DNA sequence: TTCGATGCAAAGAATTTGCACGCCA
DNA sequence: TGGCGTGCAAATTCTTTGCATCGAA
């Protein structure tokens, strides 16, 4: 019995700055340079990942495309995601024990982290420069180089922590 | 093709303070209070989790017990872990796309985080009060209550970042 | 024309569930 | 003795792979 995760990355205090709208073009270019041909399914998957910037499951991608009237095979979703992972164009985010979630990785290094609401299960994205700086310092304290980091919070989303201010 | 994860939580600069050796007793007490009977399999699983303080998979627990000559059914491992999760006695740590890993949660609130070595796949535990403090402040900046947090780093372990100091 | 991209179906891995028996309280 | 705990086996869920065909360069 897993809670359905709802994307809810709006209405939280720390804002994600606008991302370049052409991540999918960037991804296409990377793949083309690597000698990959283009294909309809992949292009459509890239479009979905570009539009929905945050943590989609393979099934959600499949359903989004079916909803648009251009269904694709689930195996293709996984294969494309695997290819994108291999090229560092998406990353796998572990927000829970259920299905894996994937989101686009932007070449400018911008990224965000997630909070899972323990009440409603929604997923909230946030971006916090001070946390990033602290993790940089942590690398120094550990004496180990850190290539990548992932922070997952569990708490209440804005909607669930009683709208006293509303 | 997943790298075998090796527990390697020794030899890093930030030390885990000694944990109370009787987490398993604590867990037994919690379960007893909740009306659960005792059972051989569960006691042995608790012993393993108490001894190996860091991030075991269900299969590793099963194998540890088989190695001790007291094999148990894998289903029992999952059932016991589910029970422990429900009581907050263990937590699931997501270190990668493969099997889930579980580790004991101590009643005193002490906890640590993990770094996965991108070279050898080993898992390094670390404990960093300043990071904890920063996450507390983050809660304030977000304006959202945070119940729990998880930090996963990817980088090099001590053994893999060239032993120049050796 | 050649080789990658895709769909379909089957396989595989991790986890969960059903059911019967055994043991603890 | 009643009900939880456990083992075995089957079922589910998520993901990967095999193979034939389609499409891009």
């Amino acid at each position: 019995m897993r809670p359905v995760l709802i994307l809810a990355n709006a209405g939280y205090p720390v804002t994600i700055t606008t991302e370049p709208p052409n991540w999918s073009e960037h991804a296409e270019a990377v793949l083309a340079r690597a000698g990959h041909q283009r294909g309809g399914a992949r292009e459509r998957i890239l479009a979905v990942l570009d539009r929905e910037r945050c943590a989609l499951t393979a099934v959600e991608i499949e359903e989004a495309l079916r909803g648009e009237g251009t269904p694709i095979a689930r195996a293709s979703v996984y294969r494309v995601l695997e290819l994108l992972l291999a090229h560092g164009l998406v990353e796998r985010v572990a927000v829970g024990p259920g299905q894996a979630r994937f989101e686009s990785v932007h070449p400018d290094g911008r990224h965000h982290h997630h909070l899972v609401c323990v009440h409603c299960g929604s997923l909230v994205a946030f971006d916090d420069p001070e946390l990033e700086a602290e993790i940089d310092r942590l690398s120094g304290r550990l004496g180990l180089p850190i290539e990548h980091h992932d922070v997952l919070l569990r708490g209440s989303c804005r909607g669930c922590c009683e709208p006293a201010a509303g």
Side-chain angles (χ1 to χ4, degrees), chain A:
Chain A
M1 201 184 65
R2 292 174 189 128
V4 176
L5 297 182
I6 305 159
L7 295 182
N9 51 359
Y12 53 88
V14 185
T15 318
I16 299 177
T17 52
T18 308
E19 294 166 357
N22 47 0
W23 167 82
S24 57
E25 286 174 27
H26 163 69
E28 296 261 30
V30 169
L31 295 176
R33 221 175 302 136
H36 289 276
Q37 297 177 175
R38 302 175 60 175
R42 196 167 68 206
E43 249 168 90
R44 277 173 270 146
I45 291 172
L46 290 177
V48 171
L49 286 169
D50 201 354
R51 174 162 35 98
E52 313 284 342
R53 294 136 38 203
C54 192
L56 295 172
T57 66
V59 175
E60 285 168 350
I61 294 170
E62 186 196 8
E63 287 173 349
L65 290 174
R66 178 171 322 157
E68 294 176 10
T70 54
I72 63 175
R74 185 166 307 177
S76 297
V77 180
Y78 282 111
R79 265 187 296 229
V80 168
L81 287 173
E82 185 187 3
L83 181 68
L84 296 175
L85 280 170
H87 287 273
L89 294 165
V90 298
E91 69 179 5
R92 207 188 297 252
V93 295
V95 299
Q99 301 131 293
R101 287 179 176 271
F102 301 85
E103 66 182 36
S104 49
V105 170
H106 287 268
D108 58 14
R110 286 209 68 73
H111 66 276
H112 58 253
H113 298 290
H114 303 95
L115 178 145
V116 178
C117 178
V118 295
H119 302 296
C120 70
S122 69
L123 192 60
V124 177
F126 67 88
D127 167 13
D128 187 77
E130 300 189 48
L131 177 63
E132 303 296 318
E134 188 60 46
I135 290 172
D136 277 349
R137 291 191 290 273
L138 170 62
S139 177
R141 290 195 292 273
L142 290 174
L144 299 173
I146 296 173
E147 288 186 9
H148 184 78
H149 62 267
D150 236 323
V151 177
L152 183 67
L153 309 180
R154 266 166 235 285
S156 298
C157 70
R158 186 152 295 280
C160 288
C161 65
E162 52 174 357

